[in-house]
Amino acid sequence: MGARLRLLAHVAAHIPALMPGSATEPIDEPASAARKSAKAADAKPSTAAARLAKLGLRRSVDLVLHLPLRYEDETTLEPIRDAIHRAGIGLPAQIEGEVISNEVTFRPRRQLVVKVADETGELTLRFLNFYGGQTKQMAEGTRLRVRGEIRGGFFGAEMVHPTVRAVTPGEPLPDRLTPVYPATAGISQAYLRKAIGGAMQRTPMPETLPQAVLRGPLAQLKLPPLIDCLRLLHNPPQQESEAALADRSHPAWVRIKFDELLAQQISLRRSQAARKEKNAPSMPRRAGGLLTSFLGALPFRLTGAQQRVVEEIAADMARPHPMHRLLQGDVGSGKTIVAALAACQAIDAGYQAALMAPTEILAEQHFRKLSAWLEPLGVPVVWLAGSLKAKEKREAVARAESGEAKLVIGTHALIQDTVRFARLGLAVVDEQHRFGVAQRLALRGKAGEADQPGEPARPAEEKVVPHQLMMSATPIPRTLAMTYYADLDVSVIDELPPGRTPIVTRLVNDARRDEVIERVHHAAAEGRQVYWVCPLIEESEALQLQTAVETYETLVAALPDLRVGLVHGRLPPAEKAAVMDDFTANRLQVLVATTVIEVGVDVPNASLMVIEHAERFGLAQLHQLRGRVGRGSAESVCLLMYQAPLSPTARERLATMRETTDGFEIARRDLQIRGPGEFLGARQSGEAMLRFADLETDAWLVDYAQEAAELMLERYPEAVEAHLSRWLGGREHFLKA
Ligand code: ADP
Ligand code: MG
């Protein structure tokens, strides 16, 4: 297999969409009874399987574990009069009555209007879309069971598009709550219910937790048998506590959530163990090498925290197994230099290092800084970005491939499939939360494992993976780190370089823009530099650009004696670089910018940050933006301009920004405001492994899951296999990123 193909295969192995179904037992079509209803539900067998697959339902056991979102209570009937009486409170009603009229009217548009009556009253059913069969199904005199929401229409109480079913008088009501499942377009609830019911019947679900574990460390939890929980959750008796089912505190839900967390914990521990089995180049520190001369040439001393993390990283890199370390440090804490030192260690050992950053501005800044530091020491540093001309790019790629380039710095361009390294020993990903799982994995896949042209293919056991260092200023709160990143060692820089003065943050109503402009003027007069960040307009990049240009023009007009620059994502790279250069060199005093400057940009003389429409930004983003100032010794100010009225969450976000500059505290509050799903979602798309457990409310279960995971791995390997295959199917790879 060519190197390129090999890389693709490597990536594919980590992306579920590219993998053939990893089903061990494929889903059969639901039994023939279900097939009839499948037809009614317009789901042809093959497309139905495809749609189920979209929901992640490939195997029978996946169906069994597809649990209801909520329930509908169809176990009782209400007299029509009572149902109408409480109409408008948004709760569905179920009534039964006889059709007393049925007509198609044409005003205001074609619709079917059916009236039903019981002993207590009459109700109108209105269908705006209907087909011929429905008219017959609801012919006069038919007895209908009707479920829907009643609202007060122009002609009295009515239900629009209720669910109806013809019944014979006295037909028994269900004695169970009706489950409502997570679904997708083209899959009806009826179809899902049949498919899941069928799967429940044909799929044995033996207990995967050994009795010794259930009775040992988990005794306190009193977990009920899994099969009972599944039966109950798919089909709860009417008398079951609806509240406990709804808020998932019911013991059956606890069992499900526990099993899910357990699968995750086992899987994390296994991938950790697997990583320890892999080979990586051992690159111990060498006295008198590049590292030493680099440290000697540094214009400042490392902080204590920097020294500590440098040691942690150095020790990892000396081991013959791949490092998998996350370096967390608040904005401005000096992570770049730590990465540079790690790169020196790799280069000293005869390997190459790569540094990938999420934006071209940031990558370029890294390139300039690091080449200024390293080129004088004789280290060839190469720049690789999408904007390079084809010829330059070919040259850069050739230098990485020949091994001549010792450090390669760039954007996503680094992971394009034309890029290969001769001897990649260290892969650094800056602002790792901005990359997707696949991208991070791809950089790791660039190790010297690709066969070199003219060389025979190397046997698998000789293949090495590079050490990996990920950096982020967005701290992951402990509970999340524990459950999502157990296979990640974490180093923390918890100290800022000396001489920084804290940033003062103020909230300013948009109406006071003139005062803000005056403030900018004043700061510039004192020799300071200013960032002015334009509003984020998520819906339209074009609009965002337009606003940036307008803001720029307004400021140029309002501040005729100042030099104002503009930088945004659409600027050609050369111009972008020129503007950033001018700002860095203090030839521009005010830089109007879109969020392209969000991460990494480092201009210590800038000490005033204005963020317009701050209410539109998320907390992490505001914190990053604010971190562009407060990097020098001058007192820095951040003005958050907002437009009233503020939504409650926007108010909370802005208050948080005013109250603290501590990134960890901000992340904690962010998690509180948004909840873990969204918190992770934005950062780690694709990594949401938990469907049922909620890391906030179920954090107490995690400790038990960890304990059980360890015990099972140690003593019950078969139970481990059974449990993982049941819960994770083919999704384990996500945990390795
Ligand atoms: P971040 O952690 O946000 O990536 P940077 O690596 O960009 O931070 O560092 C911020 C600034 O602090 C840079 O100008 C860097 O040169 C400087 N810096 C880093 N470490 C120290 C130190 N120990 N003493 C003084 N300045 C430092
Ligand atoms: Mg940085």
Side-chain angles (χ1 to χ4, degrees):
M1 184 168 23
R4 181 172 163 158
L5 258 183
R6 183 190 307 283
L7 177 72
L8 276 177
H10 177 87
V11 173
H14 291 94
I15 305 177
L18 299 180
M19 283 196 310
S22 53
T24 46
E25 16 155 358
I27 293 175
D28 334 327
E29 282 312 311
S32 66
R35 205 161 284 150
K36 257 191 270 149
S37 100
K39 201 170 125 220
D42 112 87
K44 287 197 199 84
S46 57
T47 56
R51 284 176 189 148
L52 287 178
K54 236 196 212 169
L55 289 170
L57 307 178
R58 296 187 172 79
R59 311 165 302 170
S60 290
V61 61
D62 297 333
L63 283 167
V64 169
L65 295 175
H66 194 63
L67 293 168
L69 281 176
R70 58 187 175 84
Y71 300 92
E72 276 173 3
D73 187 352
E74 296 177 350
T75 61
T76 49
L77 288 176
E78 239 179 315
I80 289 180
R81 189 189 48 213
D82 296 3
I84 291 176
H85 188 66
R86 62 168 187 84
I89 57 171
L91 290 174
Q94 179 165 256
I95 57 113
E96 197 171 298
E98 198 162 292
V99 176
I100 52 173
S101 75
N102 168 326
E103 59 176 335
V104 175
T105 64
F106 291 90
R107 243 164 278 179
R109 50 183 274 211
R110 185 169 175 272
Q111 50 186 278
L112 171 64
V113 180
V114 175
K115 282 204 166 87
V116 290
D118 67 6
E119 309 77 60
T120 67
E122 274 180 35
L123 182 66
T124 302
L125 315 180
R126 197 176 292 280
F127 298 87
L128 301 172
N129 302 304
F130 61 98
Y131 47 93
Q134 267 178 313
T135 332
K136 287 207 200 87
Q137 187 201 356
M138 291 184 274
E140 264 175 52
T142 317
R143 193 166 183 82
L144 289 182
R145 198 166 280 170
V146 183
R147 191 183 158 79
E149 228 171 85
I150 298 184
R151 57 176 209 196
F154 188 66
F155 300 105
E158 61 177 32
M159 278 187 189
V160 179
H161 282 269
T163 317
V164 296
R165 193 161 70 86
V167 289
T168 49
E171 192 166 312
L173 286 159
D175 59 352
R176 305 260 156 176
L177 299 176
T178 310
V180 178
Y181 291 104
T184 178
I187 295 240
S188 70
Q189 286 295 328
Y191 183 83
L192 267 175
R193 281 176 203 143
K194 294 275 189 205
I196 291 169
M200 278 293 283
Q201 291 204 332
R202 70 174 176 268
T203 317
M205 293 293 283
E207 191 57 71
T208 48
L209 295 189
Q211 284 305 316
V213 177
L214 280 168
R215 292 210 206 94
L218 304 182
Q220 271 182 328
L221 295 181
K222 299 201 171 60
L223 295 176
L226 180 73
I227 187 68
D228 296 353
C229 299
L230 290 168
R231 286 198 187 114
L232 184 129
L233 292 176
H234 281 301
N235 207 4
Q238 193 252 333
Q239 66 276 15
E240 207 58 60
S241 158
E242 267 191 84
L245 288 175
D247 71 11
R248 303 196 168 182
S249 62
H250 192 285
W253 270 122
V254 173
R255 171 69 209 253
I256 298 293
K257 294 193 281 195
F258 178 82
D259 278 27
E260 182 180 48
L261 285 168
L262 175 64
Q264 191 194 38
Q265 292 301 324
I266 293 177
S267 161
L268 287 168
R269 277 170 177 67
R270 284 235 300 214
S271 60
Q272 198 166 17
R275 177 163 58 88
K276 301 227 162 92
E277 304 262 282
K278 282 204 190 113
N279 299 318
S282 160
M283 312 188 289
R285 238 187 226 163
R286 197 157 61 76
L290 177 62
L291 191 72
T292 320
S293 21
F294 179 47
L295 272 175
L298 265 190
F300 47 72
R301 288 171 55 103
L302 295 183
T303 62
Q306 281 171 322
Q307 275 169 22
R308 178 169 40 75
V309 302
V310 165
E311 292 304 323
E312 288 165 358
I313 293 166
D316 279 3
M317 288 172 59
R319 292 192 192 106
H321 304 294
M323 164 168 80
H324 200 214
R325 189 170 281 278
L326 175 66
L327 174 58
Q328 292 193 339
D330 209 346
V331 184
S333 61
K335 296 183 291 293
T336 317
I337 192 82
V338 174
L341 289 166
C344 287
Q345 185 172 336
I347 297 166
D348 270 340
Y351 285 87
Q352 294 170 291
L355 168 59
M356 178 162 81
T359 66
E360 194 150 329
I361 285 188
L362 177 54
E364 171 139 29
Q365 180 186 282
H366 282 331
F367 172 67
R368 286 168 185 234
K369 208 180 240 181
L370 296 189
S371 51
W373 280 335
L374 295 174
E375 297 262 0
L377 303 172
V379 179
V381 184
V382 162
W383 163 243
L384 188 57
S387 65
L388 284 181
K389 295 200 186 71
K391 182 165 163 278
E392 297 167 322
K393 202 180 213 162
R394 268 199 308 277
E395 276 171 24
V397 169
R399 291 175 72 194
E401 193 169 336
S402 71
E404 186 229 322
K406 292 301 175 203
L407 176 57
V408 183
I409 298 177
T411 56
H412 305 80
L414 276 180
I415 49 174
Q416 271 168 8
D417 49 14
T418 45
V419 181
R420 263 182 279 159
F421 289 83
R423 275 165 78 77
L424 184 63
L426 173 70
V428 184
V429 181
D430 193 16
E431 307 292 348
Q432 65 98 24
H433 59 282
R434 302 272 298 238
F435 290 97
V437 180
Q439 292 173 319
R440 277 179 274 149
L441 288 166
L443 183 58
R444 197 185 341 166
K446 292 283 178 187
E449 80 181 61
D451 299 319
Q452 298 305 307
E455 269 180 29
R458 292 181 227 174
E461 60 278 9
E462 275 176 35
K463 293 197 167 149
V464 292
V465 250
H467 295 283
Q468 193 173 358
L469 178 64
M470 287 154 283
M471 307 201 288
S472 175
T474 306
I476 300 156
R478 200 188 81 91
T479 41
L480 291 194
M482 217 161 70
T483 41
Y484 282 79
Y485 296 97
D487 181 28
L488 197 59
D489 300 309
V490 180
S491 290
V492 181
I493 306 185
D494 51 5
E495 178 185 359
L496 292 180
R500 302 269 170 91
T501 41
I503 307 169
V504 176
T505 301
R506 298 235 161 76
L507 309 187
V508 189
N509 192 312
D510 200 45
R512 292 167 54 197
R513 171 175 297 254
D514 289 347
E515 289 168 51
V516 174
I517 293 178
E518 190 39 50
R519 184 108 191 212
V520 169
H521 196 205
H522 185 75
E526 292 192 333
R528 312 280 184 64
Q529 288 174 276
V530 183
Y531 291 101
W532 187 296
V533 177
C534 298
L536 178 73
I537 301 171
E538 272 179 349
E539 311 81 59
S540 155
E541 202 196 340
L543 210 55
Q544 178 161 334
L545 196 61
Q546 187 195 333
T547 322
V549 172
E550 281 167 12
T551 310
Y552 168 71
E553 282 165 359
T554 321
L555 287 179
V556 168
L559 301 164
D561 53 333
L562 297 183
R563 279 152 313 183
V564 182
L566 170 65
V567 65
H568 56 73
R570 285 291 183 83
L571 225 48
E575 274 180 54
K576 225 188 280 179
V579 176
M580 291 312 293
D581 254 5
D582 284 344
F583 191 62
T584 310
N586 203 355
R587 287 188 292 270
L588 289 174
Q589 284 127 7
V590 181
L591 183 63
V592 178
T594 56
T595 48
V596 291
I597 59 147
E598 180 185 339
V599 287
V601 175
D602 183 40
V603 179
N605 190 47
S607 63
L608 176 58
M609 163 69 64
V610 179
I611 302 177
E612 264 195 83
H613 277 289
E615 77 277 3
R616 293 188 193 165
F617 293 89
L619 262 181
Q621 213 170 9
L622 286 173
H623 179 60
Q624 284 275 4
L625 283 168
R626 180 172 59 183
R628 297 311 112 218
V629 296
R631 294 177 164 245
S633 51
E635 181 169 312
S636 292
V637 176
C638 174
L639 301 178
L640 300 177
M641 285 167 71
Y642 64 88
Q643 195 158 50
L646 288 175
S647 73
T649 53
R651 189 184 302 277
E652 230 176 307
R653 283 199 301 269
L654 296 183
T656 300
M657 287 300 291
R658 189 182 47 205
E659 285 158 25
T660 177
T661 52
D662 175 349
F664 284 85
E665 175 61 17
I666 289 176
R668 201 183 59 76
R669 299 228 203 149
D670 198 15
L671 178 65
Q672 227 169 37
I673 299 173
R674 293 197 296 164
E678 248 189 276
F679 183 88
L680 276 176
R683 293 170 173 73
Q684 316 289 157
S685 46
E687 265 159 303
M689 294 278 312
L690 297 174
R691 287 176 292 161
F692 306 120
D694 175 318
L695 287 179
E696 232 163 340
T697 50
D698 304 319
W700 65 282
L701 279 174
V702 174
D703 289 338
Y704 287 99
Q706 287 181 327
E707 200 177 335
E710 261 152 40
L711 187 60
M712 282 172 68
L713 281 165
E714 198 178 303
R715 298 218 205 122
Y716 305 97
E718 275 160 29
V720 161
E721 288 312 319
H723 194 77
L724 278 189
S725 123
R726 173 176 293 174
W727 280 94
L728 293 182
R731 298 182 300 139
E732 275 198 68
H733 51 274
F734 272 138
L735 295 165
K736 296 182 194 142

